[in-house]
Amino acid sequence: MTALARPAIRPEAAQSVTATFAADVLEGLAATPKRLPAKYFYDDAGSRLFERITRLPEYYPTRTELRILESSAQSIVRFADPGAALIEFGSGSTAKARLLLRHMASVRAYVPVDISADFMNGEAARLQADFPALQVLPVAADFTGAFQLPAAVRAGPRIGFFPGSTIGNLEPYEVTGFLRRARRVLGRAAAFVVGVDLVKDPDVLYAAYNDSEGVTAKFNRNLLVRINRELGADFDVSAFEHHAFYNRELRRIEMHLASLRRQKARILGKCFEFRAGETIHTENSYKYGIESFAAFARGAGWSIGAVWTDPERYFSVQALVPETGGRRI
Ligand code: SAH
Ligand code: AVI
């Protein structure tokens, strides 16, 4: 019965997504130490778990960034040219874009870009219903690679939006390349509004990734659930434990899945062995200083047009502008 629920011929795009996922999983688990790319957290269940994380009392980034966006929306949207299209990288629930859109009188279109295609399409449809006059043009893509904007927004003014400190999930060596590519996607005159989580008390950071309800642990383990379902693997998910800690030297939260015992898992005909206590490194979440992030932006041809923070300086929203243009501040 369930077989009938799936299309008989899977679209080519979906096949290549699965092939890339399979190749990345096999490569990561064959590496020492074992690792898996954090972008694969976000299947539909992962996206829903992330939304639960955003509402946890310990997870300060979402509510802090929302407050910054609320109090500074008027000055943030001044970085958009009249008639601009708002392009959001890693759009998730679109809650933060909704907030900006309410202040962007002449916005032409909204383009959410996200790897979690089904979740994004659902959120885009809800947003379209709430903003009927707006062109909503979702793009299912991995923003760490090349992707094309819809034809309707390839010309004309654009403004980029990358909230959530998702940029912190990229390795520092990837950030410059990402910011350079974003400049090409957005066009040379565009601004790029980026949410950047800041270095702070390690206890606050630790609690944010070790919530008392265990939602972050479930989000972490869901990666193995996904590998079992999509790649036919046989991970005993309950035999892996969530580990998250702050690495002070590298200024990052590290998330791992630690094997509770000696065990094996088979994936696509390959067998992977785990020692008791051995971990799979699943995510880094880098924390920046205002100045250290500015150095990355400069290295990619951007300069900082404005920075907004909360009173405790937990989180920052930064308007990156082309290096020559310190405009509209
Ligand atoms: N912008 C939202 C969601 C942040 S969660 C917020 O601030 O609350 C990170 C989002 O980025 C998820 O929706 C995830 O699916 C998406 N994402 C993560 N890595 C991605 C990648 N490489 N390409 C495209 N989307 C990605
Ligand atoms: C999406 N990203 C910025 C989140 C973060 O805080 O690094 C993902 C997350 N991982 C665990 N909790 C939330």
Side-chain angles (χ1 to χ4, degrees), residues 271-321:
C271 183
F272 296 93
E273 295 193 6
F274 296 85
R275 287 174 277 108
E278 185 178 1
T279 77
I280 310 172
H281 190 168
T282 51
E283 187 183 63
N284 287 321
S285 190
Y286 284 87
K287 311 302 167 188
Y288 287 92
I290 303 274
E291 215 10 78
S292 69
F293 187 75
F296 278 98
R298 281 196 294 272
W302 296 96
S303 61
I304 305 297
V307 179
W308 301 269
T309 64
D310 55 298
E312 287 183 295
R313 290 176 86 82
Y314 272 15
F315 202 92
S316 66
V317 174
Q318 314 207 11
L320 278 49
V321 294

Side-chain angles (χ1 to χ4, degrees), residues 117-135:
D118 291 345
F119 187 81
M120 175 188 63
N121 288 327
E123 294 302 319
R126 285 202 310 127
L127 188 136
Q128 180 71 85
D130 295 340
F131 293 81
L134 186 69
Q135 263 194 296

